[in-house]
Amino acid sequence: MKVRTRIVFLDDRGEKFFGEGPCRLLRGVAETGSLHAAAASMDMAYTKALRLLKRAEQTLGFPLTQRSAGGKHGGGSCLTPQGKEWLERYEAYRDACIQANRQLYQKFYGEEL
């Protein structure tokens, strides 16, 4: 048996706008400096990655990334200060929820996960 803790943020209409997918995408942008590379590492189309970010940014009300178009010197992406803070807070919250769930599982079922 497996127990999984999932943290998903929903907008006012109850639609998902942030979870593990966008989290991994932002982490990839932070590590590679490229939305295209981050999407490719997840086997995700660039257009889908862009759509995910735009949806999250629209709901949150601030930009998560700063993107510059390609060209002679190439383009790139990086996290905005607000994007970096959001990502760090999401990951800390997610990790705390996972730990709390492990403790609750042990309390109710008497076993370690």
Side-chain angles (χ1 to χ4, degrees):
M1 174 171 53
K2 291 185 179 184
V3 176
R4 180 183 294 180
T5 303
R6 285 185 160 175
I7 303 303
V8 176
F9 285 86
L10 308 175
D11 64 16
D12 292 337
R13 296 178 308 212
E15 295 180 18
K16 178 180 172 180
F17 75 89
F18 201 88
E20 277 307 300
C23 174
R24 287 180 50 215
L25 189 62
L26 287 178
R27 182 57 55 205
V29 168
E31 291 170 0
T32 65
S34 167
L35 179 58
H36 188 270
S41 74
M42 296 173 63
D43 292 324
M44 179 186 295
Y46 175 78
T47 53
K48 181 176 181 179
L50 196 55
R51 198 169 47 247
L52 284 174
L53 283 184
K54 285 186 176 190
R55 171 101 172 89
E57 290 173 342
Q58 179 184 24
T59 303
L60 292 169
F62 56 84
L64 295 168
T65 62
Q66 181 177 346
R67 298 176 289 279
S68 59
K72 184 177 180 182
H73 301 289
S77 296
C78 63
L79 299 184
T80 63
Q82 287 176 304
K84 183 177 180 187
E85 180 183 355
W86 171 262
L87 179 60
E88 289 171 355
R89 289 173 66 191
Y90 171 83
E91 290 175 329
Y93 176 67
R94 176 204 59 205
D95 295 347
C97 288
I98 290 169
Q99 182 59 35
N101 191 37
R102 284 186 182 127
Q103 292 170 351
L104 289 169
Y105 182 86
Q106 187 173 13
K107 176 182 175 181
F108 286 97
Y109 294 100
E111 310 174 1
E112 295 270 336
L113 280 178

